[in-house]
Amino acid sequence: MKFVDRKHEQERLTRLLSGDVPAFAIIRGRRRVGKSTLIKRILKEADVYFEADRTDKETQMSNLSYVLSHTFPGFNDAQYKDWRALLTALNHRVTAKITLCLDEFPYLVESDSSLPSVIQNLLDSEELKYNIILCGSSQTMMYNLTHEQSSPLYGRKEADFNIRPIKLPFLQEALGLTAEETIENYAVWGGIPRYWRLRESSASLMDSVNEHIMSTMGALYEEPQSLFQDDFKDIVKTSTIMTIVGGGANRLKEIAGRCNEPATNLSRPLAKLIDLGYLEKDIPFGVSAKDTKKSLYRIADPFLFFHYKFVPANRSFIELGRTALINGILESRLPELTGYWWERLCRDAVTGNTIKGITYSEARRWWGQVKIDGAFKDVELDIVAESLDGKHILIGECKWTSSENGRLLTNNILKIVDALPFTKGKSVVVVLFTTKVKPIDDIGNAILPEEVIKLSY
């Protein structure tokens, strides 16, 4: 698969490692996001890349010594009693500055908790001759390494690379898809390069889903457990919460009820899932994030959203290999799933961008009751955003269907504008986000997938 994006990260990391003095960088992010691939693209021939595993300290040091011996012949002839001895010996062998990358660094710390202190002493000395990159998929540990005041490495990094999922447009570039296909694939795979590679190996989206997710032999059938093991001690509880939210329980009280626990017991695991990018809070436009009564919890990652929407509920069918039945379920519900992420992608495209000459701040959904013609009605709006100058309100309607009537959709929104609590004194701009072709009776306010993708860079 073509390597895409990460240009800024590559340039910054290369510049850091090419400096006059040895540099220290942290590279973190969830598993499969492409951290190791990024590092390997910027390392030079003389640099040393070492991927740790879950073995004891002695085995890890022996393996690193072997890797180092290919750059420094005979390095593994000696026996090193601890990490200090090994890393100091490397410093004595270095004649021209190189980079040492310790990937899966949390595994090294698991076997010897003194290693961060050893690295601290190296960094604090004036004799260090090589760059050090520490990389790992335990987001919590990698963050705490340099952000927790009790950590030996607190405040010592030159750069902290938090590698995030790749944005929507690069999926189209990597897999050579149409705009509509890009949205459909993003709704399943999200922005994780490893998943894109698996998708690339199949002829169609459905083929790849059947092979890699909805099969006991699939590489991603048990993927959430692989993700959570890096950061959660209680994977059962974590998976339970994700399954409940993926099944449609979005309010705290409802989640707690299905967990058979008080809501107060869930505050910490929910907050951690949000911090790590697995869950998010859906808060209506105009409502403070502190107003928990109106907040909804939703899965923030497309792949995990898909997985928890379909795998737990259909696990018995998957285990029995009922492919035809599973395909029927998926085909009937994939348009709804794609529509959900289409709406989310449209909100992201509006946020901070200029739409028809007006620049908008954060776009959110809005739901509530409004009084129309003397009666209260429940109203849901897909997109609401205020312009940076405070003079305009954008209201957007998202449709992942064909043959919509543009004038009718626009007029339906305009009928409720005066009843909305946030439109007083504002100029209302109605935008329709539609698929494939412009809507019937188009009045010039439609935005198609091609433009949404452009706005997503």
Side-chain angles (χ1 to χ4, degrees), residues 231-252:
D231 288 290
F232 297 93
K233 292 181 180 179
D234 191 344
I235 296 180
V236 173
K237 186 170 187 176
T238 303
S239 296
T240 299
I241 292 172
M242 294 292 285
T243 300
I244 289 170
V245 175
N250 305 116
R251 299 186 183 279
L252 178 58

PDB file of all heavy atoms in Angstrom, residues 231-252:
ATOM      1  N   ASP A 231      -3.444  -0.891  27.866  1.00  0.00           N
ATOM      2  CA  ASP A 231      -3.775   0.226  28.752  1.00  0.00           C
ATOM      3  C   ASP A 231      -4.761  -0.096  29.861  1.00  0.00           C
ATOM      4  O   ASP A 231      -4.958   0.729  30.749  1.00  0.00           O
ATOM      5  CB  ASP A 231      -4.342   1.387  27.922  1.00  0.00           C
ATOM      6  CG  ASP A 231      -3.277   2.074  27.083  1.00  0.00           C
ATOM      7  OD1 ASP A 231      -2.418   2.744  27.676  1.00  0.00           O
ATOM      8  OD2 ASP A 231      -3.297   1.936  25.845  1.00  0.00           O
ATOM      9  N   PHE A 232      -5.407  -1.260  29.813  1.00  0.00           N
ATOM     10  CA  PHE A 232      -6.443  -1.563  30.797  1.00  0.00           C
ATOM     11  C   PHE A 232      -6.130  -2.851  31.541  1.00  0.00           C
ATOM     12  O   PHE A 232      -5.815  -3.873  30.928  1.00  0.00           O
ATOM     13  CB  PHE A 232      -7.809  -1.693  30.113  1.00  0.00           C
ATOM     14  CG  PHE A 232      -8.286  -0.425  29.461  1.00  0.00           C
ATOM     15  CD1 PHE A 232      -8.021  -0.170  28.123  1.00  0.00           C
ATOM     16  CD2 PHE A 232      -8.999   0.522  30.186  1.00  0.00           C
ATOM     17  CE1 PHE A 232      -8.447   0.994  27.519  1.00  0.00           C
ATOM     18  CE2 PHE A 232      -9.440   1.694  29.591  1.00  0.00           C
ATOM     19  CZ  PHE A 232      -9.166   1.935  28.256  1.00  0.00           C
ATOM     20  N   LYS A 233      -6.240  -2.794  32.853  1.00  0.00           N
ATOM     21  CA  LYS A 233      -6.052  -3.992  33.650  1.00  0.00           C
ATOM     22  C   LYS A 233      -7.279  -4.894  33.581  1.00  0.00           C
ATOM     23  O   LYS A 233      -7.165  -6.110  33.534  1.00  0.00           O
ATOM     24  CB  LYS A 233      -5.768  -3.605  35.108  1.00  0.00           C
ATOM     25  CG  LYS A 233      -4.435  -2.911  35.308  1.00  0.00           C
ATOM     26  CD  LYS A 233      -4.209  -2.574  36.779  1.00  0.00           C
ATOM     27  CE  LYS A 233      -2.862  -1.885  36.965  1.00  0.00           C
ATOM     28  NZ  LYS A 233      -2.624  -1.525  38.399  1.00  0.00           N
ATOM     29  N   ASP A 234      -8.459  -4.272  33.592  1.00  0.00           N
ATOM     30  CA  ASP A 234      -9.710  -5.034  33.560  1.00  0.00           C
ATOM     31  C   ASP A 234     -10.296  -4.973  32.148  1.00  0.00           C
ATOM     32  O   ASP A 234     -11.137  -4.132  31.836  1.00  0.00           O
ATOM     33  CB  ASP A 234     -10.693  -4.461  34.580  1.00  0.00           C
ATOM     34  CG  ASP A 234     -11.911  -5.363  34.789  1.00  0.00           C
ATOM     35  OD1 ASP A 234     -12.138  -6.255  33.945  1.00  0.00           O
ATOM     36  OD2 ASP A 234     -12.634  -5.163  35.785  1.00  0.00           O
ATOM     37  N   ILE A 235      -9.831  -5.871  31.281  1.00  0.00           N
ATOM     38  CA  ILE A 235     -10.290  -5.877  29.895  1.00  0.00           C
ATOM     39  C   ILE A 235     -11.751  -6.294  29.809  1.00  0.00           C
ATOM     40  O   ILE A 235     -12.492  -5.838  28.935  1.00  0.00           O
ATOM     41  CB  ILE A 235      -9.395  -6.805  29.040  1.00  0.00           C
ATOM     42  CG1 ILE A 235      -7.969  -6.251  28.993  1.00  0.00           C
ATOM     43  CG2 ILE A 235      -9.946  -6.934  27.622  1.00  0.00           C
ATOM     44  CD1 ILE A 235      -7.010  -7.090  28.173  1.00  0.00           C
ATOM     45  N   VAL A 236     -12.195  -7.158  30.723  1.00  0.00           N
ATOM     46  CA  VAL A 236     -13.587  -7.607  30.712  1.00  0.00           C
ATOM     47  C   VAL A 236     -14.529  -6.426  30.915  1.00  0.00           C
ATOM     48  O   VAL A 236     -15.506  -6.247  30.181  1.00  0.00           O
ATOM     49  CB  VAL A 236     -13.827  -8.685  31.789  1.00  0.00           C
ATOM     50  CG1 VAL A 236     -15.316  -9.006  31.888  1.00  0.00           C
ATOM     51  CG2 VAL A 236     -13.035  -9.943  31.468  1.00  0.00           C
ATOM     52  N   LYS A 237     -14.232  -5.596  31.903  1.00  0.00           N
ATOM     53  CA  LYS A 237     -15.076  -4.441  32.172  1.00  0.00           C
ATOM     54  C   LYS A 237     -15.038  -3.453  31.014  1.00  0.00           C
ATOM     55  O   LYS A 237     -16.063  -2.908  30.611  1.00  0.00           O
ATOM     56  CB  LYS A 237     -14.637  -3.746  33.461  1.00  0.00           C
ATOM     57  CG  LYS A 237     -15.559  -2.612  33.886  1.00  0.00           C
ATOM     58  CD  LYS A 237     -15.218  -2.119  35.276  1.00  0.00           C
ATOM     59  CE  LYS A 237     -16.235  -1.103  35.766  1.00  0.00           C
ATOM     60  NZ  LYS A 237     -15.966  -0.678  37.161  1.00  0.00           N
ATOM     61  N   THR A 238     -13.842  -3.247  30.465  1.00  0.00           N
ATOM     62  CA  THR A 238     -13.698  -2.339  29.326  1.00  0.00           C
ATOM     63  C   THR A 238     -14.520  -2.830  28.135  1.00  0.00           C
ATOM     64  O   THR A 238     -15.250  -2.062  27.506  1.00  0.00           O
ATOM     65  CB  THR A 238     -12.220  -2.219  28.919  1.00  0.00           C
ATOM     66  OG1 THR A 238     -11.453  -1.767  30.043  1.00  0.00           O
ATOM     67  CG2 THR A 238     -12.053  -1.246  27.764  1.00  0.00           C
ATOM     68  N   SER A 239     -14.402  -4.108  27.818  1.00  0.00           N
ATOM     69  CA  SER A 239     -15.151  -4.674  26.698  1.00  0.00           C
ATOM     70  C   SER A 239     -16.650  -4.629  26.950  1.00  0.00           C
ATOM     71  O   SER A 239     -17.440  -4.420  26.024  1.00  0.00           O
ATOM     72  CB  SER A 239     -14.713  -6.122  26.447  1.00  0.00           C
ATOM     73  OG  SER A 239     -13.362  -6.185  26.057  1.00  0.00           O
ATOM     74  N   THR A 240     -17.044  -4.806  28.210  1.00  0.00           N
ATOM     75  CA  THR A 240     -18.469  -4.744  28.554  1.00  0.00           C
ATOM     76  C   THR A 240     -19.023  -3.353  28.283  1.00  0.00           C
ATOM     77  O   THR A 240     -20.094  -3.202  27.673  1.00  0.00           O
ATOM     78  CB  THR A 240     -18.677  -5.107  30.044  1.00  0.00           C
ATOM     79  OG1 THR A 240     -18.221  -6.445  30.267  1.00  0.00           O
ATOM     80  CG2 THR A 240     -20.142  -5.008  30.422  1.00  0.00           C
ATOM     81  N   ILE A 241     -18.302  -2.329  28.720  1.00  0.00           N
ATOM     82  CA  ILE A 241     -18.748  -0.952  28.488  1.00  0.00           C
ATOM     83  C   ILE A 241     -18.837  -0.667  26.990  1.00  0.00           C
ATOM     84  O   ILE A 241     -19.833  -0.107  26.505  1.00  0.00           O
ATOM     85  CB  ILE A 241     -17.792   0.046  29.172  1.00  0.00           C
ATOM     86  CG1 ILE A 241     -17.895  -0.071  30.690  1.00  0.00           C
ATOM     87  CG2 ILE A 241     -18.100   1.474  28.730  1.00  0.00           C
ATOM     88  CD1 ILE A 241     -16.859   0.741  31.442  1.00  0.00           C
ATOM     89  N   MET A 242     -17.819  -1.074  26.247  1.00  0.00           N
ATOM     90  CA  MET A 242     -17.810  -0.810  24.801  1.00  0.00           C
ATOM     91  C   MET A 242     -18.941  -1.563  24.102  1.00  0.00           C
ATOM     92  O   MET A 242     -19.573  -1.033  23.178  1.00  0.00           O
ATOM     93  CB  MET A 242     -16.464  -1.208  24.210  1.00  0.00           C
ATOM     94  CG  MET A 242     -15.294  -0.363  24.682  1.00  0.00           C
ATOM     95  SD  MET A 242     -15.337   1.350  24.088  1.00  0.00           S
ATOM     96  CE  MET A 242     -14.855   1.116  22.371  1.00  0.00           C
ATOM     97  N   THR A 243     -19.215  -2.781  24.533  1.00  0.00           N
ATOM     98  CA  THR A 243     -20.300  -3.559  23.939  1.00  0.00           C
ATOM     99  C   THR A 243     -21.650  -2.908  24.216  1.00  0.00           C
ATOM    100  O   THR A 243     -22.518  -2.833  23.333  1.00  0.00           O
ATOM    101  CB  THR A 243     -20.294  -4.999  24.482  1.00  0.00           C
ATOM    102  OG1 THR A 243     -19.044  -5.619  24.171  1.00  0.00           O
ATOM    103  CG2 THR A 243     -21.420  -5.818  23.872  1.00  0.00           C
ATOM    104  N   ILE A 244     -21.831  -2.420  25.436  1.00  0.00           N
ATOM    105  CA  ILE A 244     -23.097  -1.771  25.807  1.00  0.00           C
ATOM    106  C   ILE A 244     -23.297  -0.490  25.002  1.00  0.00           C
ATOM    107  O   ILE A 244     -24.384  -0.242  24.456  1.00  0.00           O
ATOM    108  CB  ILE A 244     -23.108  -1.486  27.327  1.00  0.00           C
ATOM    109  CG1 ILE A 244     -23.240  -2.798  28.101  1.00  0.00           C
ATOM    110  CG2 ILE A 244     -24.241  -0.532  27.686  1.00  0.00           C
ATOM    111  CD1 ILE A 244     -23.024  -2.647  29.591  1.00  0.00           C
ATOM    112  N   VAL A 245     -22.256   0.326  24.898  1.00  0.00           N
ATOM    113  CA  VAL A 245     -22.366   1.567  24.121  1.00  0.00           C
ATOM    114  C   VAL A 245     -22.567   1.247  22.641  1.00  0.00           C
ATOM    115  O   VAL A 245     -23.389   1.868  21.959  1.00  0.00           O
ATOM    116  CB  VAL A 245     -21.124   2.453  24.325  1.00  0.00           C
ATOM    117  CG1 VAL A 245     -21.185   3.688  23.426  1.00  0.00           C
ATOM    118  CG2 VAL A 245     -20.997   2.871  25.786  1.00  0.00           C
ATOM    119  N   GLY A 246     -21.809   0.258  22.136  1.00  0.00           N
ATOM    120  CA  GLY A 246     -21.963  -0.136  20.735  1.00  0.00           C
ATOM    121  C   GLY A 246     -23.336  -0.687  20.436  1.00  0.00           C
ATOM    122  O   GLY A 246     -23.834  -0.577  19.313  1.00  0.00           O
ATOM    123  N   GLY A 247     -23.981  -1.242  21.448  1.00  0.00           N
ATOM    124  CA  GLY A 247     -25.326  -1.781  21.275  1.00  0.00           C
ATOM    125  C   GLY A 247     -26.423  -0.744  21.331  1.00  0.00           C
ATOM    126  O   GLY A 247     -27.594  -1.076  21.144  1.00  0.00           O
ATOM    127  N   GLY A 248     -26.054   0.512  21.600  1.00  0.00           N
ATOM    128  CA  GLY A 248     -27.043   1.581  21.539  1.00  0.00           C
ATOM    129  C   GLY A 248     -27.377   2.269  22.849  1.00  0.00           C
ATOM    130  O   GLY A 248     -28.201   3.183  22.880  1.00  0.00           O
ATOM    131  N   ALA A 249     -26.736   1.863  23.949  1.00  0.00           N
ATOM    132  CA  ALA A 249     -26.954   2.552  25.234  1.00  0.00           C
ATOM    133  C   ALA A 249     -25.969   3.706  25.313  1.00  0.00           C
ATOM    134  O   ALA A 249     -24.758   3.485  25.417  1.00  0.00           O
ATOM    135  CB  ALA A 249     -26.754   1.596  26.395  1.00  0.00           C
ATOM    136  N   ASN A 250     -26.456   4.929  25.279  1.00  0.00           N
ATOM    137  CA  ASN A 250     -25.575   6.087  25.182  1.00  0.00           C
ATOM    138  C   ASN A 250     -25.594   7.009  26.398  1.00  0.00           C
ATOM    139  O   ASN A 250     -24.719   7.859  26.535  1.00  0.00           O
ATOM    140  CB  ASN A 250     -25.916   6.899  23.932  1.00  0.00           C
ATOM    141  CG  ASN A 250     -25.887   6.077  22.668  1.00  0.00           C
ATOM    142  OD1 ASN A 250     -26.894   5.896  22.000  1.00  0.00           O
ATOM    143  ND2 ASN A 250     -24.717   5.542  22.337  1.00  0.00           N
ATOM    144  N   ARG A 251     -26.588   6.855  27.253  1.00  0.00           N
ATOM    145  CA  ARG A 251     -26.665   7.709  28.445  1.00  0.00           C
ATOM    146  C   ARG A 251     -26.015   6.998  29.633  1.00  0.00           C
ATOM    147  O   ARG A 251     -26.090   5.780  29.766  1.00  0.00           O
ATOM    148  CB  ARG A 251     -28.112   8.068  28.752  1.00  0.00           C
ATOM    149  CG  ARG A 251     -28.789   8.839  27.629  1.00  0.00           C
ATOM    150  CD  ARG A 251     -30.179   9.320  28.018  1.00  0.00           C
ATOM    151  NE  ARG A 251     -30.827   9.991  26.907  1.00  0.00           N
ATOM    152  CZ  ARG A 251     -30.614  11.257  26.560  1.00  0.00           C
ATOM    153  NH1 ARG A 251     -29.776  12.001  27.282  1.00  0.00           N
ATOM    154  NH2 ARG A 251     -31.227  11.794  25.529  1.00  0.00           N
ATOM    155  N   LEU A 252     -25.396   7.792  30.494  1.00  0.00           N
ATOM    156  CA  LEU A 252     -24.664   7.238  31.631  1.00  0.00           C
ATOM    157  C   LEU A 252     -25.542   6.338  32.483  1.00  0.00           C
ATOM    158  O   LEU A 252     -25.123   5.237  32.878  1.00  0.00           O
ATOM    159  CB  LEU A 252     -24.089   8.383  32.474  1.00  0.00           C
ATOM    160  CG  LEU A 252     -23.334   7.971  33.739  1.00  0.00           C
ATOM    161  CD1 LEU A 252     -22.168   7.052  33.398  1.00  0.00           C
ATOM    162  CD2 LEU A 252     -22.845   9.208  34.485  1.00  0.00           C
TER     163      LEU A 252
END
